Amino acid sequence: MKALRNAINRIEEGLLAFLLALMTLLTFIQVVLRYVFNTGLVWSLEATTYSFAALVLIGMSYGVRTKTHIAVDLFTRKMPKQVRHYVALLAIIVCVVYAAMMLYGSATFVNRLYMLGNHARDIPLPKWLLTATMPLGFTLLAYRFLEAGWHILHGEDEEGATQEGRS
């Protein structure tokens, strides 16, 4: 199980690094072509837009995993530990339901694009292939929320140490 989790972490981080590098490289090339050679790549903006969308969708799960997402805990910090535990579990359940609904909706959307055979405007690829990062991102997000819920249920932090065992 730990090997699978590590593989998912590496794939997630690799995709994020690749997408960020691709966006940066495409933007740099486009600026040089535009301002030095007075030309440009027609498909560059669309490719950058799809890359950015994929970066955001996959980045959501990375934010949950690394606990770098925005958290509003002004009220929960004032609650007793047991109540905080249940509030955290309720929040996880709400987030999993949200991710599941978005996964269903995005999978339906991608499937319809596949059935229709739509192609991207400037990139010679089917649109369903470019939007397939939507269900991927929400699958990863649901997985990360379930993982966080597991850690809360077992009183562990991300590294597996129990809350009581920490100083």
Side-chain angles (χ1 to χ4, degrees), residues 34 40 48 55 70 80 86 96 122-123 129 139 150:
R34 176 90 30 147
T48 303
L55 185 73
I70 296 173
Y86 289 116
V96 168
D122 297 323
I123 303 172
L129 186 62
T139 300
W150 176 266

Side-chain angles (χ1 to χ4, degrees), residues 1-11 143 147:
M1 188 67 175
K2 189 174 182 179
L4 176 62
R5 184 174 41 197
N6 288 338
I8 291 171
N9 292 351
R10 284 192 308 273
I11 290 169
Y143 169 73
E147 189 177 49

